[in-house]
Amino acid sequence: MALKATIYKADLNIANMDVHQYGDFQLTMALHPSETIERLMVRVLAFARFADERLEFTKDLFETDEPALWEKDLTGQLVKWIEVGLPDEDKVKKAAARCSEVAVIAYGSAVAEWYKRSSKLKTLKNVQVWQLSEATTLAIQDLCERTMQLQLNVMDGEWTLIGDNAQAVIEWTQLQ
């Protein structure tokens, strides 16, 4: 019998004073049996970085042709494609041809080597690559609960994610 995904819910309040973006988002995410808590929480941060009412989680681990998140316009056309982890560069290149905005949220100890090997990515003008520090991905795991109340504060480029029992400073590096 196959293992089923575990459902996580997060009420995410964003107060980004740098770009004057404020909002409340109710997120429902499925944690695939092969997925880690670290990746689940990185998906929350990916949502927070590109937060929009039409941004949604996909079935990326069930459907390999889908990203972790995407945004479609009112006609159903893809506008944003957001990958989490260290995706195959051909998948990112294909997404860049389909969408006006593509982002990769990379994390883990192999990011530098992956980015160095991904020469095709560097030629794509509509692709952003963001790296999360290992300290960040370690700290955000402490915020994870099946039902989460999260507050994201952004001011002067500093990101702080606050949960009921802990908080984490989010360290982003833009590689591209």
Side-chain angles (χ1 to χ4, degrees):
M1 185 162 138
L3 296 174
K4 293 186 177 188
T6 304
I7 302 301
Y8 283 75
K9 293 184 181 275
D11 288 332
L12 175 63
N13 177 272
I14 297 175
N16 187 335
M17 286 149 266
D18 289 353
V19 296
H20 303 291
Q21 177 193 32
Y22 308 94
D24 291 305
F25 300 91
Q26 283 71 46
L27 310 178
T28 301
M29 302 156 290
L31 177 71
H32 188 274
S34 67
E35 186 177 22
T36 64
I37 293 295
E38 178 183 37
R39 187 175 188 282
L40 176 82
M41 294 305 290
V42 169
R43 288 194 292 142
V44 170
L45 290 179
F47 184 94
R49 174 153 286 285
F50 298 97
D52 188 276
E53 292 174 0
R54 292 189 304 267
L55 186 62
E56 59 186 336
F57 294 100
T58 67
K59 298 175 183 172
D60 69 314
L61 291 177
F62 295 104
E63 298 289 336
T64 56
D65 290 339
E66 294 182 0
L69 298 108
W70 63 23
E71 181 182 323
K72 295 180 180 181
D73 66 15
L74 295 175
T75 67
Q77 293 290 348
L78 284 171
V79 177
K80 279 185 197 153
W81 181 285
I82 302 168
E83 291 284 350
V84 169
L86 307 175
D88 179 71
E89 67 182 329
D90 287 332
K91 183 178 181 183
V92 176
K93 185 177 178 183
K94 190 174 174 182
R98 295 174 62 191
C99 299
S100 59
E101 187 177 347
V102 176
V104 176
I105 308 299
Y107 66 97
S109 59
V111 173
E113 184 60 34
W114 167 82
Y115 190 65
K116 187 174 152 184
R117 281 192 335 261
S118 301
S119 57
K120 290 179 191 174
L121 289 184
K122 297 172 183 110
T123 66
L124 303 172
K125 301 293 182 218
N126 62 332
V127 175
Q128 300 175 39
V129 179
W130 292 91
Q131 179 181 5
L132 286 166
S133 72
E134 290 185 57
T136 293
T137 60
L138 186 62
I140 60 175
Q141 293 177 66
D142 292 337
L143 301 173
C144 188
E145 297 177 21
R146 290 284 303 275
T147 303
M148 298 174 260
Q149 301 290 322
L150 299 172
Q151 170 70 43
L152 175 67
N153 296 323
V154 181
M155 185 162 54
D156 298 330
E158 185 173 304
W159 287 50
T160 306
L161 188 62
I162 303 164
D164 288 338
N165 302 315
Q167 70 180 33
V169 173
I170 312 303
E171 299 169 352
W172 295 97
T173 303
Q174 187 169 12
L175 302 177
Q176 175 174 320

